[in-house]
Amino acid sequence: MDIKNAQLEVDNWIKNHGVRYFNELTNMAQLTEEVGEVARIIARRFGEQSEKESDKNKDLGEELADVMFVVLCLANQTGIDLQEAFDKKLDIKTKRDHDRHHNNQKLK
């Protein structure tokens, strides 16, 4: 599924199951919470912190999907075509960073 269709899927879900979008500030707070859950899993699973028993069954993919869902909500409610924005950003990064990363000794 491309981003444009994902935005449509989220919009349909909101209309059929979610009643309405939360306001932008609520969604921003929700996004922060979801990113925090991703950070917690990564810090404990891949970082130096020990993983609590209660965190061992947390699904990183599910948490990343939560982040994506809220990002898609924010894009929908603010009128952003996220597919267009992503394509533009990837083009900018490709032009700007191609040689930069190839010449970065830290990445060798």
Side-chain angles (χ1 to χ4, degrees), residues 20-32 70-80:
R20 66 170 178 81
Y21 286 93
F22 295 131
N23 69 43
E24 295 84 354
L25 287 175
T26 299
N27 273 336
M28 186 62 232
Q30 199 170 6
L31 177 60
T32 303
V70 180
V71 167
L72 293 167
C73 285
L74 284 165
N76 284 347
Q77 67 193 131
T78 58
I80 302 295

Side-chain angles (χ1 to χ4, degrees), residues 19-64:
V19 180
R20 66 170 178 81
Y21 286 93
F22 295 131
N23 69 43
E24 295 84 354
L25 287 175
T26 299
N27 273 336
M28 186 62 232
Q30 199 170 6
L31 177 60
T32 303
E33 179 182 334
E34 298 299 349
V35 168
E37 291 177 22
V38 169
R40 181 183 181 101
I41 291 170
I42 290 176
R44 285 167 168 64
R45 206 162 287 166
F46 305 104
E48 296 173 340
Q49 289 185 312
S50 60
E51 194 167 26
K52 293 180 180 179
E53 199 59 43
S54 61
D55 289 339
K56 288 185 177 177
N57 291 325
K58 301 268 181 174
D59 183 339
L60 179 58
E62 186 177 326
E63 298 305 334
L64 288 168

